[in-house]
Amino acid sequence: MASAHTEVDGKLPNEPEKATLEGRNKILGFWLFLGGEAVLFGTLFATFLTLRNQTNEGPTANELFSLPLTAMATMLLLVSSLTSVFAIQAMHRHNLPSLIRWLFITVLLGLVFLGLEIYEFAEYMIKDDFGMSTSAFSSAFYTLVGFHGAHVAFGVVWIGILIGQLYRKGLTVVTAPKIYVSAIYWHFIDVVWVFIFTVVYLLGKVG
Amino acid sequence: MDWLTTVDHKKIAVLYLLGGTLFFGIGGIEAIIIRLQLIKPMNDLVSAQTFNELITMHGTTMIFLGVMPIIFALMNALIPLQIGARDVAFPFLNSLGFWTFLFGGLLLNLSWFMGGAPDAGWTAYTPLSGTKFSTTHGVDFYTVGLQLAGLGTLIGGINFLATIITMRAPGMSFMRMPMFTWTTFITSAMILFAFPAITVGLVLLTFDRILGANFFDVAGGGNPILWQHIFWIFGHPEVYVLILPAFGIISEVIPTFARKRLFGYSSMVFATILIAFLGFMVWAHHMFTTGLGPVANALFSISTMLIAVPTGIKIFNWMFTMWGGQVRFTSANLFAVGFIPTFTMGGITGVMLASAPADFQFHDTYFVVAHFHYVIVGGLVFGLFAGLHFWWPKMFGRMLNETIGKWTFWTFAIGFHMTFFVQHFLGLLGMQRRVFTYLPNQGFDTMNLVSTLGAILMGIGVMLFLFNAFHSFTKPKGVANDPWEDGRTLEWSIPSPPPEYNFKQIPLVRGLDAFWKEKMAGHQEMTPAEPVGSIHMPSPTILPFVMSVGIFIAGLGLMFSGEQFSNSFMSFIFNNWIVCGLGLLITFGSMVLRSLFDDHGWHIELEELEEEGV
Ligand code: HEM
Ligand SMILES: [Cu+2]
């Protein structure tokens, strides 16, 4: 096993995230974990699809949703996936400042996305009187979209901490796998959001 | 203290064994009380409410907190040894998985002392488990406790998958892996794809009960059948999560004591994969009577019956393994051989239940109870006893007493058949499951008496095993590497119990049954695949324990967030989510600590290894 203290001094391998057994294990374990996450969201989607027309005389999807708002949120999240790709590319070039910069932008986009979501939820709850217990549709909506939101929030805090680590420890074979794994996570939440946008919002408007 | 911070897979195995035995004991006592209540008609030993709590807690405890951890104990003790590894892929997560399981189990059992246990059956069917019919906090303890325990299982599953994929010794290809490793691998994959479903189900039920959501409440537009789908899409794979490891154990024990290699190794592997795959397709056979319609019933009926094919392959392979072998009936092997007919009977009643029209008669009667106890007790528990007797000397360096072992087998096996065989007929006569008493002279009286006496005999069998276990610890250690002398796989090539680092040198694997192959070639030990060198070990840590305490506190906070307390301080901290937040803070705080301070581990140096002179 390579020692854990290799610094960015030319000795760092091209793909530092895969340089140690720990690193490779971490990446493999994380992919497996995402397999489980896929089932988790799959079940939430199935629940939502079952209950999406059970509005219990409360507001319907068509009355609530505003596509421009969610389309904007979607754009933000898609761009943040792109910036996290740039971050990984910077890591492979061993360019620490650029890596940190791209991660920072990613986190920022995630935060704006969260802000939009909170604004959206608040609007529904206050203006439209649409809360968790309004209908089966509302329960399924808040749970599915809220779970995704919680994942985004977790990712923002996580990547934030990683940026802190990069400042303190630099790019090493220990920090690299963490960055890499967080990037996979970020893409995963992005993909889930694309499904949410389609199944919840688009289908809610037209179906 | 050592035990709270350990990340050594062998010690975690012992912890799982202790935890599992504790809950198995609690579940066993619950079972005996249930049987005592049913010993005669119109008995009033316990009230109807207590009876409901007992059956709910018995099923839940046995499946999630009893047998699962004991399976995990054997996996933890053996998988790294069988694949020639020094540890699992994620030692930290391994310990975290154990502690979340333990605290989940403790939380669930706290319900007995905090205002009532869950009472809606281990399947927690809605609307029975909704706030309308389950008015105590019982079901909240169920949702939150199981959530924690399930988290531990999921973590364990991912860990074993990664371990088996990346940590195998040189030469150990997938088709040279011991069967127990194979079944662990497939089981872990099933855990990974089944448990997230119940995670979601429990969240939805929690939201219904605590946040007033409407998932399963018809009045709010919800759908109670949705719960059954989610529960069984997890629940049916879960029963294979239980039985596949037992298949693995039997496939190790029988060849060892027949001195023959396992018949049809590759067909065993593919049968296991096929069972796992089909296991995900058949969940609705638990729901024939909910009105899915004839088309759905027919499809689920056929896919269920298909599972009998790979299962049959396995049964025949075990029998062909013994055929012409020099079979030794040690107590481990008695349990393994006894497993074959009992499990087969359970499989046969399974196929009977899989016929949808017949199931309209059998459903919710004692016939179903007999079926699943034949597979779970006659299958899994027999398998666990076989495995424990077999690997005990490897785990603890001490033999179990063979005479007591044989007594354990005979009392347990006879008690088992007495308890559950008659239940088939009780079911056919129309005795319903989950009723707390019955009227006299309906033809139920004698068979219930026999069943209860059998349960007591089984209890005696378990006590004998526990006595045997304690007894073995009064003897000095000093068992040979290969105490059965016919060991076939890598774990028998190293000392019993194994040193902290398992293998001084990682072995080179040259075939299936690696150790047996070397012995047949006249070698005493494995050929090493690397020179002796210093060994890297992960450091012990208290964080997994603290993290689990944190989630435990958060869970309590969540459950009582809507409670009216007479004490104003209690109301303040619970109703404002302060307790819940504090718990989460502890957990996330530990995660941050873990992330900020890298654990570089430590090394066992060359000189220390030489000194031990292994
Ligand atoms: C050939 C294999 C099997 C078949 C065809 C089969 C079929 C079935 C069917 C159709 C039911 C539903 C009966 C009803 O509720 O009306 C059932 C129930 C059950 N089976 Fe199996 N089974 C098989 C193997 C197993 C195994 C290996 C296990 C566990 C290790 C198991 C555990 C259970 C349990 C726990 C229930 C009852 C669930 C409940 O309602 O509480 N079965 N089985
Ligand atoms: Cu089933």
Side-chain angles (χ1 to χ4, degrees):
Chain A
M1 249 164 274
S3 144
H5 307 280
T6 334
E7 290 296 324
V8 205
D9 54 11
K11 269 195 301 177
L12 200 65
N14 269 343
E15 293 190 329
E17 72 274 10
K18 294 183 182 138
T20 60
L21 179 66
E22 280 96 346
R24 288 193 298 275
N25 274 349
K26 196 169 264 175
I27 294 170
L28 172 72
F30 200 78
W31 275 110
L32 294 169
F33 168 73
L34 286 187
E37 287 266 88
V39 177
L40 186 127
F41 278 106
T43 316
L44 286 170
F45 273 109
T47 307
F48 178 81
L49 283 173
T50 315
L51 300 176
R52 72 190 190 96
N53 292 324
Q54 306 297 322
T55 49
N56 194 29
E57 290 168 12
T60 65
N62 199 1
E63 290 160 17
L64 286 169
F65 299 153
S66 128
L67 279 189
L69 182 80
T70 42
M72 185 146 106
T74 309
M75 277 311 293
L76 285 174
L77 214 56
L78 285 178
V79 172
S80 79
S81 238
L82 189 67
T83 56
S84 79
V85 172
F86 291 154
I88 296 298
Q89 284 179 342
M91 180 172 91
H92 285 166
R93 289 195 311 272
H94 302 170
N95 186 341
L96 186 61
S98 165
L99 167 60
I100 293 183
R101 203 169 326 118
W102 284 119
L103 286 182
F104 192 73
I105 297 176
T106 309
V107 168
L108 214 63
L109 288 168
L111 278 174
V112 179
F113 173 87
L114 273 180
L116 283 183
E117 188 153 278
I118 293 172
Y119 167 77
E120 184 197 350
F121 280 14
E123 182 127 321
Y124 296 162
M125 282 189 219
I126 297 161
K127 247 179 59 196
D128 302 302
D129 201 17
F130 181 73
M132 188 65 150
S133 40
T134 305
S135 62
F137 162 63
S138 76
S139 308
F141 169 79
Y142 282 120
T143 307
L144 173 59
V145 181
F147 246 76
H148 177 269
H151 274 74
V152 176
F154 183 83
V156 163
V157 175
W158 181 17
I159 301 179
I161 293 174
L162 289 184
I163 295 177
Q165 284 196 32
L166 283 177
Y167 270 117
R168 276 188 42 216
K169 300 178 194 162
L171 183 61
T172 67
V173 290
V174 177
T175 47
K178 296 185 184 176
I179 307 284
Y180 189 79
V181 159
S182 71
I184 310 178
Y185 176 82
W186 197 256
H187 293 314
F188 176 79
I189 356 185
D190 202 6
V191 172
V192 172
W193 178 260
V194 172
F195 278 97
I196 292 186
F197 182 62
T198 318
V199 170
V200 178
Y201 292 98
L202 287 184
L203 224 62
K205 268 299 187 195
V206 298
Chain B
M1 200 52 200
D2 199 17
W3 289 96
L4 294 187
T5 60
T6 183
V7 292
D8 178 2
H9 69 95
K10 296 173 291 292
K11 284 192 170 173
I12 291 176
V14 175
L15 288 173
Y16 265 120
L17 189 59
L18 286 172
T21 310
L22 168 75
F23 290 120
F24 189 87
I26 296 176
I29 293 169
E30 284 155 3
I32 299 274
I33 303 176
I34 295 172
R35 276 320 315 169
L36 286 178
Q37 162 65 17
L38 295 173
I39 194 169
K40 61 173 202 238
M42 303 302 286
N43 200 2
D44 57 0
L45 179 69
V46 295
S47 68
Q49 172 64 22
T50 313
F51 188 84
N52 285 345
E53 294 175 6
L54 282 170
I55 55 159
T56 304
M57 284 301 279
H58 165 69
T60 311
T61 304
M62 282 303 197
I63 290 197
F64 295 97
L65 312 174
V67 291
M68 282 293 288
I70 299 180
I71 294 172
F72 267 43
L74 286 176
M75 289 178 173
N76 259 305
L78 287 149
I79 295 305
L81 306 185
Q82 286 202 324
I83 62 174
R86 295 218 166 91
D87 209 332
V88 291
F90 309 110
F92 180 90
L93 286 186
N94 205 12
S95 134
L96 180 63
F98 168 75
W99 291 111
T100 47
F101 140 68
L102 188 76
F103 280 102
L106 290 179
L107 188 76
L108 194 52
N109 276 282
L110 267 185
S111 63
W112 286 117
F113 313 104
M114 295 179 67
D119 53 1
W122 82 281
T123 51
Y125 278 176
T126 51
L128 206 54
S129 53
T131 36
K132 213 170 280 157
F133 296 103
S134 249
T135 46
T136 67
H137 276 295
V139 177
D140 299 328
F141 278 103
Y142 173 95
T143 54
V144 179
L146 279 194
Q147 194 67 276
L148 278 189
L151 201 66
T153 310
L154 194 58
I155 293 173
I158 294 180
N159 200 352
F160 286 125
L161 279 174
T163 305
I164 295 173
I165 294 175
T166 61
M167 314 270 284
R168 282 167 291 131
M172 167 125 346
S173 64
F174 268 94
M175 290 313 274
R176 285 179 183 174
M177 279 184 344
M179 267 323 282
F180 183 61
T181 304
W182 254 115
T183 54
T184 300
F185 184 63
I186 306 288
T187 304
S188 306
M190 294 191 83
I191 289 176
L192 180 60
F193 292 115
F195 270 71
I198 192 71
T199 303
V200 171
L202 291 172
V203 167
L204 303 186
L205 189 53
T206 312
F207 281 5
D208 262 15
R209 291 182 58 92
I210 292 175
L211 302 183
N214 295 311
F215 289 104
F216 310 117
D217 181 10
V218 184
N223 183 344
I225 300 296
L226 181 65
W227 166 263
Q228 293 198 25
H229 279 294
I230 295 178
F231 185 88
W232 286 116
I233 214 161
F234 144 82
H236 188 80
E238 164 70 8
V239 306
Y240 286 95
V241 166
L242 299 178
I243 200 67
L244 290 183
F247 286 175
I249 296 169
I250 304 300
S251 303
E252 303 279 318
V253 175
I254 287 187
T256 302
F257 293 113
R259 304 193 94 239
K260 268 179 75 194
R261 66 175 274 184
L262 182 68
F263 186 91
Y265 171 82
S266 27
S267 67
M268 286 300 225
V269 170
F270 288 109
T272 312
I273 297 174
L274 199 60
I275 291 176
F277 177 73
L278 289 174
F280 279 98
M281 314 285 212
V282 299
W283 76 94
H285 66 207
H286 296 271
M287 301 162 64
F288 286 144
T289 56
T290 48
L292 300 175
V295 178
N297 277 4
L299 287 176
F300 280 104
S301 183
I302 292 166
S303 54
T304 303
M305 290 183 190
L306 278 181
I307 298 192
V309 178
T311 314
I313 294 178
K314 292 201 156 254
I315 307 260
F316 281 107
N317 281 343
W318 288 318
M319 297 200 288
F320 288 138
T321 306
M322 284 187 287
W323 189 292
Q326 303 159 28
V327 184
R328 269 201 293 159
F329 286 101
T330 57
S331 23
N333 202 28
L334 277 179
F335 274 108
V337 175
F339 164 97
I340 297 176
T342 42
F343 178 78
T344 308
M345 283 177 67
I348 290 171
T349 49
V351 176
M352 291 167 74
L353 289 169
S355 157
D359 186 66
F360 274 75
Q361 297 301 317
F362 302 140
H363 184 62
D364 272 348
T365 69
Y366 265 80
F367 192 83
V368 176
V369 179
H371 157 67
F372 66 74
H373 283 92
Y374 261 80
V375 276
I376 295 182
V377 182
L380 173 62
V381 178
F382 272 45
L384 288 178
F385 271 128
L388 286 171
H389 282 89
F390 183 52
W391 280 306
W392 195 268
K394 181 51 67 189
M395 287 176 74
F396 298 106
R398 301 168 166 93
M399 298 301 276
L400 285 177
N401 180 304
E402 274 294 310
T403 316
I404 309 179
K406 285 180 181 147
W407 275 95
T408 309
F409 172 75
W410 288 111
T411 42
F412 192 81
I414 295 172
F416 165 77
H417 283 287
M418 273 173 69
T419 312
F420 298 111
F421 189 68
V422 291
Q423 291 187 358
H424 293 111
F425 300 99
L426 280 173
L428 293 176
L429 286 174
M431 178 162 160
Q432 297 210 337
R433 70 189 284 204
R434 293 176 175 160
V435 287
F436 87 110
T437 193
Y438 50 92
L439 293 170
N441 300 322
Q442 291 181 303
F444 300 163
D445 308 10
T446 324
M447 285 195 272
N448 270 302
L449 176 66
V450 172
S451 188
T452 302
L453 293 178
I456 292 168
L457 197 57
M458 273 168 89
I460 294 175
V462 175
M463 300 301 281
L464 281 173
F465 175 76
L466 290 180
F467 174 73
N468 203 352
F470 284 120
H471 183 67
S472 79
F473 285 104
T474 60
K475 303 261 184 59
K477 284 190 197 177
V479 163
N481 288 7
D482 182 12
W484 304 112
E485 287 162 8
D486 295 322
R488 310 180 70 86
T489 39
L490 284 179
E491 72 267 29
W492 305 109
S493 69
I494 53 172
S496 324
E500 215 177 345
Y501 44 83
N502 298 350
F503 296 87
K504 193 158 122 192
Q505 293 164 287
I506 297 293
L508 180 67
V509 175
R510 294 200 255 207
L512 183 61
D513 290 340
F515 186 45
W516 180 261
K517 208 169 165 71
E518 300 291 327
K519 283 195 285 189
M520 288 301 107
H523 306 155
Q524 294 304 311
E525 17 183 270
M526 299 297 300
T527 317
E530 57 167 24
V532 189
S534 81
I535 297 173
H536 178 255
M537 305 292 291
S539 335
T541 157
I542 190 77
L543 285 181
F545 178 80
V546 178
M547 281 165 83
S548 309
V549 173
I551 318 186
F552 178 82
I553 296 174
L556 279 177
L558 172 70
M559 274 170 44
F560 289 96
S561 58
E563 177 85 0
Q564 300 302 323
F565 291 95
S566 49
N567 179 320
S568 64
F569 174 71
M570 294 284 278
S571 313
F572 176 72
I573 59 169
F574 275 98
N575 297 356
N576 294 307
W577 299 93
I578 292 178
V579 176
C580 190
L582 183 76
L584 288 179
L585 203 67
I586 296 178
T587 302
F588 283 112
S590 326
M591 280 166 82
V592 172
L593 280 182
R594 163 77 181 164
S595 148
L596 288 183
F597 299 98
D598 290 321
D599 158 29
H600 294 306
W602 52 288
H603 282 82
I604 300 179
E605 298 303 337
L606 203 57
E607 303 82 60
E608 291 172 64
L609 289 173
E610 305 281 296
E611 261 167 43
E612 281 179 42
V614 201

